[in-house]
């Protein structure tokens, strides 16, 4: 049973470049979350979707960040243009529905130089 | 505005002793609390949870205590083992917020042999 799959696992990019992170949730899960891990704030919720619809994007830092979920099995988180302060680990997670256990992917390690 | 706080960034414990990890929250609407464990280069994995209608939940060596009046929860690990060394995240959700999980900053536990 495949878990949440994220790609790329690691990315190093130059400031100003566009970065796209990808996520495949667990099949049958209706909710998808994007989190960012930083030393200062731990795991920050950026955005979450329920049945492919964005429900709460209040955690998205600024307009440079955007997320889409075109179908139940795929989501992207895009940063354009990227900045060094965006360097972090970005986690995608999914759950069967509100109140159930959230399962995380292994994360995408982003370094912007 | 950090709604879930873990004020101890790190904790060191001797093998066989008790580990106590603490977490405070500010949102009185939270009604479900969880602990996640994270090893380096992996995504967080669910450990144990507690509903606000309970004040204790036990699973093997792991026990979570909830003090609603103090808006405080703790995770006890007894006896601690070297394999328990990881970062532990406290998380909370409110039923009226669609299952959105808010995480703390994490506490890095080191269990020394």
């Amino acid at each position: 049973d495949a878990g949440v799959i994220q790609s790329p696992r690691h990315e190093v990019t130059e400031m100003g470049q566009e970065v796209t992170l990808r996520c495949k949730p667990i099949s049958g899960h209706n909710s998808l979350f994007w989190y960012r891990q930083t030393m200062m704030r731990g795991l920050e919720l950026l955005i979450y979707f329920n049945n492919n619809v964005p429900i709460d994007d209040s955690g998205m830092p600024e307009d440079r960040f955007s997320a889409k979920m075109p179908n139940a099995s795929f989501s992207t988180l895009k940063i354009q243009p990227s900045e060094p302060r965006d360097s972090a680990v970005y986690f995608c997670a999914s759950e069967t529905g509100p109140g159930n256990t959230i399962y995380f992917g292994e994360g995408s390690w982003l370094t912007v130089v | 505005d950090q709604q879930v706080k873990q004020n101890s960034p790190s904790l060191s414990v001797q093998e066989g002793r008790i580990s106590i990890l603490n977490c405070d929250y500010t949102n009185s609407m939270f009604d479900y609390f969880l602990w996640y464990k994270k090893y380096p280069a992996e995504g967080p994995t669910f450990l144990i949870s507690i509903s606000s209608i309970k004040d204790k939940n036990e699973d093997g060596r792991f026990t979570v205590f909830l003090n609603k009046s103090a808006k405080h929860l703790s995770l006890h690990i007894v006896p601690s083992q070297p394999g328990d060394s990881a970062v532990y995240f406290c998380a909370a959700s409110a039923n009226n917020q669609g299952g959105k999980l808010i995480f703390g900053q994490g506490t890095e536990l080191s269990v020394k042999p």
Side-chain angles (χ1 to χ4, degrees), chain A residues 9 35 37 45 48 56 102 105, chain B residues 36 38 41 43 97 100-101:
Chain A
R9 286 298 311 277
Y35 284 88
Q37 183 185 5
L45 177 64
Y48 82 97
D56 185 344
I102 289 180
Chain B
Y36 275 76
K38 183 184 178 305
Q97 292 181 5
K100 183 170 74 171
L101 265 190

Side-chain angles (χ1 to χ4, degrees), chain A residues 42-92:
Chain A
L43 282 166
E44 287 179 277
L45 177 64
L46 302 178
I47 185 171
Y48 82 97
F49 296 83
N50 194 32
N51 292 321
N52 313 338
V53 176
I55 302 300
D56 185 344
D57 65 354
S58 59
M60 295 287 261
E62 46 197 275
D63 292 345
R64 297 184 297 106
F65 285 70
S66 63
K68 293 181 180 179
M69 191 165 186
N71 57 62
S73 59
F74 184 67
S75 176
T76 59
L77 177 67
K78 187 174 292 187
I79 308 172
Q80 166 64 18
S82 58
E83 296 182 2
R85 61 191 167 124
D86 301 331
S87 299
V89 185
Y90 291 82
F91 288 101
C92 178

Side-chain angles (χ1 to χ4, degrees), chain B residues 1-111:
Chain B
D1 179 27
Q2 197 80 12
Q3 296 186 62
V4 178
K5 298 181 183 179
Q6 294 175 256
N7 292 317
S8 297
S10 63
L11 174 68
S12 184
V13 171
Q14 205 68 31
E15 181 179 6
R17 300 291 186 104
I18 184 171
S19 295
I20 301 176
L21 297 102
N22 293 302
C23 178
D24 297 293
Y25 61 96
T26 58
N27 188 342
S28 58
M29 298 302 294
F30 287 146
D31 54 12
Y32 191 55
F33 304 88
L34 308 90
W35 285 92
Y36 275 76
K37 178 179 179 178
K38 183 184 178 305
Y39 292 117
E42 294 183 9
T45 54
F46 171 74
L47 185 58
I48 192 170
S49 64
I50 188 168
S51 164
S52 61
I53 61 174
K54 294 186 175 181
D55 54 18
K56 177 183 175 181
N57 187 27
E58 190 172 351
D59 183 3
R61 296 185 297 113
F62 302 90
T63 303
V64 56
F65 294 92
L66 175 62
N67 183 334
K68 288 188 292 293
S69 60
K71 293 191 177 67
H72 178 84
L73 66 155
S74 61
L75 175 67
H76 293 209
I77 306 173
V78 182
S80 303
Q81 299 173 354
D84 296 330
S85 298
V87 177
Y88 289 78
F89 289 97
C90 168
S93 70
N95 191 42
N96 65 352
Q97 292 181 5
K100 183 170 74 171
L101 265 190
I102 306 298
F103 283 83
Q105 305 96 313
T107 297
E108 184 171 8
L109 173 66
S110 175
V111 180

